[in-house]
Amino acid sequence: MRIGILTGGGDVPGLNPCIRSVTLSADDLGWDVLGFRRGWEGVLEIDPSDPASIAASTMPLTREGVRGIDRLGGTILHTSRLDPRTHAEGDRTRHVLHVLDKLGVDAMITLGGDGTLRFTAHLAAEGMPVVSIPKTMDNDVFGTDYCIGFSTAVSRSVEAINALRTTVESHERIGVIELFGRRSGETALLSGFLAQVDRTVIAEVPADLDILLPLLAEDKATNPARYAMCVISEGATIKGETDEDHLSKPASERSDLGVGHRLGRAIKARIGSGAVIQELAYLMRAGEPDALDRMVGFAFGGLAVQLLQRGEHGRMLVIKDGNYTHVPADTLLRGRKVVDVDGLYDPAAYRAKLMRVEGMPMFLY
């Protein structure tokens, strides 16, 4: 048995523990593991008749070769965001299947977010044995309560938010911290709650400045230290704005000001307070994984190999109600995962709320 494995989309801490777990679990069965570099882009760059292209885009994974990688952030296989169906030369699905066949890959394990896993589901429909593993610090893959990378991103964000308090307080300003989260505000919601900021703006609820700005002004005025803190999702919108560019592109691809800077500009203009504006951006997913992402990475990697050993494929690994399980690979196509605003958020106060905890899983979903 030869397993192929790749990582796609943005890097997150926890990918390397998962890669190590897959490799060790497969090695215990006497199976080979072939890593593909740069996600699906690396697969497309391979000409099966050209050994040089194979060497440039693959990495044989061995027990000795993955020693210690679990302590590293990012992914040793590197990554890309390419979907072979949207290639400049047209749909390259046939080429992907051709490469996998010629390299003797019996099954694929893919680690990725929404885009990577959508193509994995497409391969499953084409008859390729696959197991997909959700990873994204936004935690927004539909069908699972948890994605690799989420816990570390929240932990990094809470640490940074609380560290910024020293500067914001020293200058008696309003801190605006913009966090990744284009389609879902879950990372901002949880980070803001755990850091106990004054207000949190999520992607699901437009910010009405006529309400939000007076609240922040009051927060600052009533704080003996004369400062306030606000967290905002990169995908949040400001009521009254019509520029669709703010909604359609991630912060890394926009030439204009991100929503955090736009909110900070409004704070200065409308309530006369100075603002400290900070986009945490890639720092949220930099560095080594925390304990939870190591645990989930190891567990998902082992489970993926166990499914293939049992002849089960076309599956996506998930956590539901705190339990490891698996669902059809195309489950993520069936809906959109967003914050439960009614249950977890007060849109009038721009704050998280915990209305119910008893009987709920760890992340309250």
Side-chain angles (χ1 to χ4, degrees):
M1 183 84 167
R2 169 174 270 196
I3 299 174
I5 183 172
L6 59 77
T7 52
D11 67 289
V12 296
L15 292 174
N16 285 329
C18 192
I19 293 169
R20 174 172 165 81
S21 182
V22 166
T23 303
L24 297 185
S25 298
D27 184 71
D28 286 341
L29 297 172
W31 296 356
D32 293 331
V33 181
L34 183 65
F36 288 93
R37 302 175 188 267
R38 301 179 300 283
W40 295 115
E41 179 181 307
V43 179
L44 291 182
E45 292 174 350
I46 293 175
D47 176 355
S49 64
D50 177 15
S53 73
I54 297 173
S57 293
T58 63
M59 177 189 296
L61 298 175
T62 64
R63 179 176 291 270
E64 187 61 32
V66 297
R67 182 184 298 275
I69 68 169
D70 50 295
R71 299 188 290 273
L72 306 176
T75 165
I76 63 165
L77 294 176
H78 296 183
T79 185
S80 71
R81 298 185 183 276
L82 180 66
D83 183 329
R85 293 172 295 180
T86 61
H87 194 270
E89 298 177 9
D91 187 347
R92 303 295 304 281
T93 301
R94 292 296 109 194
H95 180 77
V96 169
L97 292 172
H98 174 67
V99 169
L100 297 180
D101 177 62
K102 291 299 183 182
L103 295 187
V105 175
D106 300 296
M108 283 294 295
I109 296 175
T110 63
L111 288 66
D114 188 77
T116 302
L117 302 191
R118 283 175 178 267
F119 184 71
T120 304
H122 174 62
L123 285 187
E126 293 288 319
M128 180 70 196
V130 300
V131 174
S132 60
I133 297 175
K135 67 88 221 159
T136 166
M137 63 180 176
D138 295 343
N139 208 38
D140 62 353
V141 173
F142 182 78
T144 183
D145 293 344
Y146 189 82
C147 302
I148 293 174
F150 179 60
S151 176
T152 307
V154 170
S155 296
R156 295 271 193 280
S157 298
V158 171
E159 291 169 2
I161 291 166
N162 285 332
L164 281 167
R165 288 180 183 273
T166 59
T167 292
V168 180
E169 177 182 352
S170 295
H171 294 273
E172 298 187 359
R173 296 180 181 178
I174 294 176
V176 178
I177 300 91
E178 181 181 324
L179 303 183
F180 276 152
R182 187 154 48 105
R183 291 182 296 269
S184 170
E186 186 175 349
T187 305
L189 180 73
L190 193 55
S191 299
F193 173 72
L194 295 178
Q196 289 290 282
V197 301
D198 297 289
R199 309 291 163 178
T200 299
V201 183
I202 60 176
E204 291 80 355
V205 179
D208 186 337
L209 297 187
D210 292 334
I211 297 174
L212 177 62
L213 295 185
L215 289 173
L216 286 171
E218 182 181 6
D219 295 332
K220 181 176 182 292
T222 57
N223 183 347
R226 306 289 294 176
Y227 79 100
M229 299 289 281
C230 179
V231 165
I232 188 166
S233 297
E234 68 162 322
T237 57
I238 295 176
K239 186 177 179 180
E241 287 187 344
T242 58
D243 188 353
E244 292 297 316
D245 185 61
H246 299 318
L247 308 178
S248 61
K249 293 182 179 180
S252 59
E253 297 178 8
R254 292 198 302 255
S255 59
D256 63 318
L257 292 177
V259 69
H261 283 274
R262 303 199 308 274
L263 175 58
R265 187 168 54 187
I267 288 171
K268 295 176 183 178
R270 293 178 55 173
I271 63 177
S273 173
V276 173
I277 305 163
Q278 183 67 58
E279 295 180 5
L280 290 191
Y282 297 104
L283 288 173
M284 293 173 61
R285 66 183 187 219
E288 66 182 67
D290 68 8
L292 183 58
D293 279 323
R294 291 174 198 256
M295 184 68 250
V296 176
F298 283 134
F300 272 167
L303 179 56
V305 174
Q306 291 164 19
L307 288 186
L308 293 177
Q309 183 186 20
R310 299 200 301 256
E312 299 183 48
H313 48 78
R315 310 296 289 176
M316 179 174 75
L317 305 189
V318 302
I319 294 178
K320 295 296 291 183
D321 297 331
N323 298 305
Y324 291 97
T325 185
H326 47 93
V327 296
D330 63 357
T331 298
L332 80 162
L333 306 176
R334 303 174 187 175
R336 180 183 175 195
K337 186 181 180 188
V338 295
V339 169
D340 175 7
V341 173
D342 291 337
L344 299 173
Y345 188 69
D346 183 347
Y350 296 98
R351 282 177 174 162
K353 64 180 180 182
L354 293 181
M355 296 299 293
R356 61 197 196 290
V357 174
E358 186 176 4
M360 296 295 291
M362 183 170 63
F363 286 103
L364 305 179
Y365 289 98

